[in-house]
């Protein structure tokens, strides 16, 4: 197995479909953000779903380290796609997303997201109405899909969109 | 379930033992690092094991985005502990580690790590000897253990050590 010279392949429909599946099926993810005190990279597990437009959404407590961090600097990254228990975890597909965090104000949009969220994760009713919990949209800027050794693809925001540009309007 | 005022509990032997179990059992992890071109947070899945001293070790290709990034800035963070398929993923224990990346030169130490790594992950023999692959020690600086809602603990490097300070010398 010689090392490939350029591990990035041309993005195709199959890569776009796999990326969308990883986004749509994710119920949790790893979130990379900047520690507001040191500027160093930091990481948390977060719950994720999507909004009606297919963008990743998280629900976070005001007590979480990443709440204050994202409020200070919205630049973040998300890792989606969980390996199974067997074999080499690096052969399982995963998607690294560059995202910009946008806090959703309480009001009509928040209420719609609440209903959508609870439809998928009913147990969240235990904490979703606590006053410090907020939805944060993790707007996708770009992605790197890794489908296993030698199968990497760069994806644009358009590639990651849930809207198929080739579909009739 | 009222929101706790301070979600951090005093670190105890149980928290230290859970953190060590998550470190020792991890075979993969999410790695947060800084994009050397933009300074923004970035994230990758990596393979992990431990060295004889209990520090996390990864094996990375020179083609991986995080290889160049860690060479430029060794500050990174690691997320360990994978949820199962059922229930609320945020109730599963996970450990966020602040780490400093240190590349291991090829030579005696590299060879010892190779033998140890292959003992756990024999399939890595497919690529472990490729010239661009290197071991990187992710030396633990501090940790945040989250054992579920209201069960968070801050851990020092000493708390995270595999050496029990109360054991007879």
């Amino acid at each position: 197995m010689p090392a490939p010279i350029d591990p990035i392949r041309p993005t195709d429909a199959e890569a776009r479909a796999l990326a969308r599946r990883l986004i749509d099926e994710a119920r949790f993810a790893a979130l990379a953000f900047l520690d507001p005190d040191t500027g160093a990279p930091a990481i948390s597990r977060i719950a994720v779903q999507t909004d009606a437009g297919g963008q990743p959404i998280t629900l976070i407590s005001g007590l979480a380290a990443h709440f204050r961090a994202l409020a200070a600097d919205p630049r973040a990254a998300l890792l989606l796609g969980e390996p199974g228990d067997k074999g080499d975890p690096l052969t399982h597909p995963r998607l690294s997303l560059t995202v910009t965090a946008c806090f959703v104000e309480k009001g009509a949009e928040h209420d719609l997201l609440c209903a959508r969220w609870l439809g998928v994760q009913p147990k969240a009713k235990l904490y979703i109405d606590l006053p410090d919990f907020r939805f944060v949209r993790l707007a996708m800027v770009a992605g790197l899909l890794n489908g296993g050794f030698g199968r990497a693809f760069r994806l644009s925001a358009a590639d990651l969109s849930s809207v198929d540009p080739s579909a009739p309007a």
Side-chain angles (χ1 to χ4, degrees), chain A residues 10-162:
Chain A
T11 297
D12 56 17
E14 191 182 351
R16 282 188 284 267
L18 175 56
R20 268 318 311 176
R21 182 171 71 73
L22 293 173
I23 297 164
D24 291 333
E25 293 182 355
R27 292 296 169 261
F28 62 94
L31 177 80
F33 55 97
L34 298 179
D35 182 319
D37 296 324
T38 65
I43 196 163
S44 292
R45 172 157 302 137
I46 60 169
V48 289
Q49 294 187 24
T50 57
D51 65 12
Q55 294 285 341
I57 295 282
T58 187
L59 172 67
I60 53 180
S61 159
L63 297 169
H66 47 283
F67 189 103
R68 185 167 74 94
L70 295 178
D73 188 331
R75 294 179 297 170
L78 208 54
L79 179 66
L80 304 175
E82 290 302 314
D85 291 336
K86 291 183 181 174
D88 188 330
L90 294 192
T91 63
H92 289 262
R94 65 273 189 191
L95 178 62
S96 297
L97 293 171
T98 303
V99 300
T100 303
C102 177
F103 285 74
V104 176
E105 297 296 328
K106 298 226 172 174
E109 187 185 6
H110 174 91
D111 295 344
L112 279 174
L113 289 172
C114 264
R116 189 178 166 94
W117 192 274
L118 290 172
V120 175
Q121 186 58 270
K123 292 182 181 180
K125 69 178 184 296
L126 288 168
Y127 49 82
I128 202 167
D129 288 327
L130 292 178
D132 66 308
F133 274 73
R134 293 281 295 279
F135 287 106
V136 179
R137 179 170 289 106
L138 300 165
M140 298 184 289
V141 177
L144 180 69
L145 175 68
N146 194 320
F149 287 107
R151 299 195 63 243
F153 305 88
R154 282 192 220 289
L155 294 109
S156 67
D159 289 327
L160 295 163
S161 169
S162 60

